[in-house]
Amino acid sequence: MKIAVLLTMVPDLVEELEIDPSGTALDTQWLRYVLSESDDHALEQALLLKDRHSASVTALALDYGDAEQALFTALAKGADAAIKIAPVPPGGPNRRGAAALFAEVLRRQPADLILTGVQATNDLDGHLPGLLGGLLDLRYVGVTRSVEASADGGLVVQKEYPGGVAAEISLPTPAVIGVISAPQPPRYVPVARIREVTKTRMVGVEAAIAVDPQPAAVIRRLYKPEPAGHATMLTGPPEQMAQELAAILEGRGLLR
Amino acid sequence: MNTPSQDVWVYVEHPNGVVAPHTYELLGKGRDLAQALGGRLVAVLLGHDVASLAQTLGTADLVLSVDHQRLASFTPDAHARTVRALGESAMPRLLLCGATSAGIDLASLLSALVPVPMVVNVRAIEVEGGRVITTSQLCGGKLLCEMELTGCTVLTVLAGAFPAEAGFATRGAPVESMAAPAALDQAPVHVLRLIEPAGEDVDITRVSILIAVGRGIQRKENLQLAEELAGLLAGAVCASRPVIDQGWLPLSRQVGKSGMVVKPALYLALGISGAPEHLEGMRNAELIVAVNTDAGAPIFNVAHYGVVGDMFEVIPALMAQLRERKAA
């Protein structure tokens, strides 16, 4: 089974986010990017399938932020190949643009299974895996927490429903799966191993060619919200805040 | 794609055979939007043997219903391709879906299949002189984005964005039964079974005091702190997604979009930033107290009381206070 894992870089939400002078986009000059969390799970899911079913795993990323570092990390974790798609704008294209670029590479290099995170924190004009399923006209299931290869060459996935319920779904390959979490936490790889991989392995390059321009809504304004409501903040040293909080809980009859 | 009408469609979700509260939120807002746009409000009801559900969809002008065995449980493939077939005669101006497990799958796939634009995580929708303006939440609620929509657009709308009461009706609407697409008979995507959450664990939807932990708990051993606090308050420990994904607590303790929706007397959130997916599951708690090191964490926008501080200092101090007060 050939597996493609699509990795997306997203703004690091620990950092302060600044809007650029146009008022419609993030200022990318000082922006720090990290791998989208659900993509990390998608990679873990791919590597689990590789371990169990002798699959080959290729990681792909659009070339912005620290994408190359994410690709080398994927190689260090066990991916068989890594490809960056370039050139792309400094902050990457919007999600529909990203889907079009990935789709074109995946038409040239088809995979039996395309795994990626079901959503990213900066999604605005769509979610990548569903868009890809539509663009490539492949079977698609998203919000999965487990993907297994079945005896007939297809897949059995667990899709999350509300209320903690999951549906076990079978589908044929080729398919696109949007991963929310892998059956186990993403594996850790030491920095030394990643450094070693950067010296011994190569990241391939594919041309960024979008042949499916996708219709998108127009951004009028990007801004930081004014909180509609805000908590009453307790201040002071921890002991003082704890005392106030205990009094509030007692006052509400919550001490039993 | 053909020219869109000015109709507003609402995709009806009905897990466990009951119309989801979120659908009524969309119907209520959809009513206003349809009026402003001069179109009809249409409820799109897909499933198998679900005709009776139309009895509470009377806020809509029309229910478009497709009945097929392959639509009984949600799969993105069957549902998106059926909605696309419904739109072949006239696409709506807006298709409103929940930002739910089903809604995000359906909306993404459909918007690429047709293709039409899509806007996700919408929390406000207005009509200004015939133009539709949406406001979406992104980056964990740290940013908002205003978008202008021209033609037919698919939206996923955050739970709680609009009141459900405005969309609930005790009457039905005219039902137009539509044929299922022929390809559905051969659809290769099947729901094999539904897996219910493990029943032997605490049911956090029935616990009145919840100590919720997020990424800030840092490591599994630190859960002991939350357990101790829960013990003092006769409550239970629950968590946001990152803690569950680490395998530190069972799925049955997850609060949020894919987990449980809780409404306890006290929700004490420790090290939880307040991503929209989590807020969806707890924002209606009677009393929300948040402890977080980040003063800008969105959890403080829904909490009643907030503490900016290190939980590993604040919680031991709180436990000492609680012990004193209980002893007294």
Side-chain angles (χ1 to χ4, degrees):
Chain A
M1 181 189 288
K2 286 178 68 176
I3 303 175
V5 186
L6 313 185
L7 305 179
T8 301
M9 307 308 291
V10 296
D12 185 351
L13 300 185
V14 173
E15 305 286 326
E16 189 67 20
L17 302 174
E18 296 297 337
I19 314 293
D20 78 3
S22 75
T24 60
L26 278 175
D27 188 339
T28 57
Q29 190 175 7
W30 305 110
L31 197 58
R32 200 176 109 88
Y33 290 92
V34 293
L35 177 63
S36 179
E37 192 170 344
S38 54
D39 289 354
D40 204 10
H41 281 270
L43 174 62
E44 182 59 35
Q45 179 64 76
L47 296 172
L48 287 173
L49 286 168
K50 178 184 172 176
D51 294 343
R52 288 177 200 150
H53 303 288
S54 306
S56 72
V57 175
T58 300
L60 299 100
L62 302 181
D63 188 21
Y64 67 91
D66 291 326
E68 198 163 277
Q69 181 68 16
L71 290 170
F72 277 120
T73 304
L75 288 171
K77 286 184 173 185
D80 299 283
I83 295 171
K84 67 178 178 184
I85 300 168
V88 295
N94 61 21
R95 209 56 82 221
R96 301 183 82 86
L101 292 173
F102 278 124
E104 187 49 27
V105 172
L106 289 164
R107 285 189 188 104
R108 298 198 296 266
Q109 301 190 27
D112 302 305
L113 171 59
I114 300 164
L115 292 170
T116 191
V118 70
Q119 55 188 345
T121 53
N122 60 344
D123 280 349
L124 193 54
D125 59 340
H127 303 295
L128 182 60
L131 294 173
L132 264 178
L135 280 176
L136 295 170
D137 204 14
L138 297 179
R139 302 303 168 186
Y140 164 69
V141 177
V143 200
T144 67
R145 65 184 191 199
S146 157
V147 181
E148 281 294 339
S150 56
D152 62 0
L155 302 167
V156 175
V157 304
Q158 284 187 15
K159 173 181 172 57
E160 290 189 354
Y161 282 5
V165 177
E168 195 169 82
I169 297 174
S170 74
L171 70 163
T173 56
V176 180
I177 303 295
V179 175
I180 185 91
S181 65
Q184 66 181 44
R187 61 194 67 187
Y188 171 77
V189 60
V191 176
R193 172 73 185 133
I194 299 170
R195 280 206 198 103
E196 184 190 323
V197 163
T198 58
K199 291 173 189 162
T200 56
R201 305 280 298 276
M202 297 282 287
V203 167
V205 183
E206 282 284 337
I209 304 167
V211 295
D212 282 319
Q214 289 286 296
V218 176
I219 296 178
R220 288 215 313 192
R221 185 163 74 108
L222 185 68
Y223 59 103
K224 296 182 182 181
E226 294 290 332
H230 201 277
T232 300
M233 303 305 287
L234 310 184
T235 55
E239 293 72 21
Q240 185 184 325
M241 292 192 287
Q243 192 173 6
E244 280 184 58
L245 192 48
I248 290 164
L249 300 185
E250 189 171 40
R252 296 244 183 174
L254 293 168
L255 300 193
R256 298 167 198 169
Chain B
M1 190 193 75
N2 51 18
T3 309
S5 68
Q6 295 302 311
D7 290 350
V8 175
W9 288 10
V10 170
Y11 173 73
V12 177
E13 286 194 44
H14 46 85
N16 306 317
V18 179
V19 175
H22 191 32
T23 293
Y24 295 120
E25 296 173 16
L26 301 181
L27 285 167
K29 184 62 186 176
R31 178 77 269 157
D32 297 341
L33 293 168
Q35 189 171 348
L37 291 165
R40 299 172 302 171
L41 176 62
V42 178
V44 177
L45 178 60
L46 312 184
H48 185 47
D49 290 336
V50 290
S52 62
L53 298 181
Q55 294 310 309
T56 60
L57 301 177
T59 304
D61 298 307
L62 174 71
V63 176
L64 276 182
S65 175
V66 182
D67 188 300
H68 194 284
Q69 202 162 10
R70 286 291 168 84
L71 298 171
S73 287
F74 176 83
T75 65
D77 211 59
H79 281 235
R81 289 171 198 274
T82 301
V83 175
R84 180 176 68 166
L86 290 177
E88 274 172 4
S89 54
M91 285 298 288
R93 176 73 184 272
L94 296 173
L95 169 61
L96 309 183
C97 305
T100 59
S101 171
I104 65 176
D105 268 5
L106 175 119
S108 291
L109 185 56
L110 179 69
S111 78
L113 283 172
V114 176
V116 289
M118 176 180 178
V119 180
V120 310
N121 294 333
V122 172
R123 69 175 212 179
I125 315 170
E126 300 300 333
V127 177
E128 292 177 4
R131 292 173 304 172
V132 178
I133 311 297
T134 59
T135 304
S136 288
Q137 195 166 290
L138 68 161
C139 290
K142 291 190 169 185
L143 294 174
L144 296 178
C145 186
E146 235 175 59
M147 311 273 282
E148 182 173 332
L149 322 181
T150 46
C152 169
T153 306
V154 181
L155 309 180
T156 64
V157 180
L158 293 170
F162 308 111
E165 303 76 45
F168 182 79
T170 51
R171 64 185 190 286
V175 177
E176 198 172 324
S177 294
M178 309 294 287
L184 216 52
D185 294 327
Q186 311 299 327
V189 183
H190 305 270
V191 174
L192 303 173
R193 64 180 178 126
L194 295 180
I195 304 165
E196 298 290 336
E200 67 272 18
D201 194 26
V202 174
D203 181 354
I204 58 171
T205 64
R206 295 174 181 275
V207 175
S208 65
I209 293 182
L210 286 172
I211 310 301
V213 295
R215 205 186 299 270
I217 198 76
Q218 297 176 7
R219 58 179 69 93
K220 187 177 182 181
E221 300 75 60
N222 292 339
L223 279 173
Q224 182 60 32
L225 185 69
E227 293 285 1
E228 274 180 48
L229 180 57
L232 263 176
L233 288 166
V237 176
C238 60
S240 61
R241 167 137 231 147
V243 174
I244 305 297
D245 284 349
Q246 288 296 324
W248 296 346
L249 282 171
L251 269 168
S252 51
R253 302 290 186 104
Q254 183 178 332
V255 172
K257 183 192 285 186
S258 302
M260 303 298 176
V261 176
V262 297
K263 198 179 170 185
L266 169 65
Y267 192 86
L268 181 45
L270 307 177
I272 290 177
S273 64
E277 295 80 12
H278 183 74
L279 300 185
E280 204 171 297
M282 46 64 74
R283 68 184 327 140
N284 292 321
E286 288 173 33
L287 177 65
I288 301 170
V289 178
V291 180
N292 202 293
T293 52
D294 178 5
I299 189 77
F300 291 126
N301 298 336
V302 298
H304 300 96
Y305 293 94
V307 171
V308 177
D310 182 345
M311 75 166 92
F312 301 109
E313 293 179 359
V314 175
I315 297 308
L318 176 62
M319 288 197 292
Q321 281 290 329
L322 295 177
R323 286 192 185 101
E324 266 182 38
R325 285 167 194 265
K326 288 178 89 165

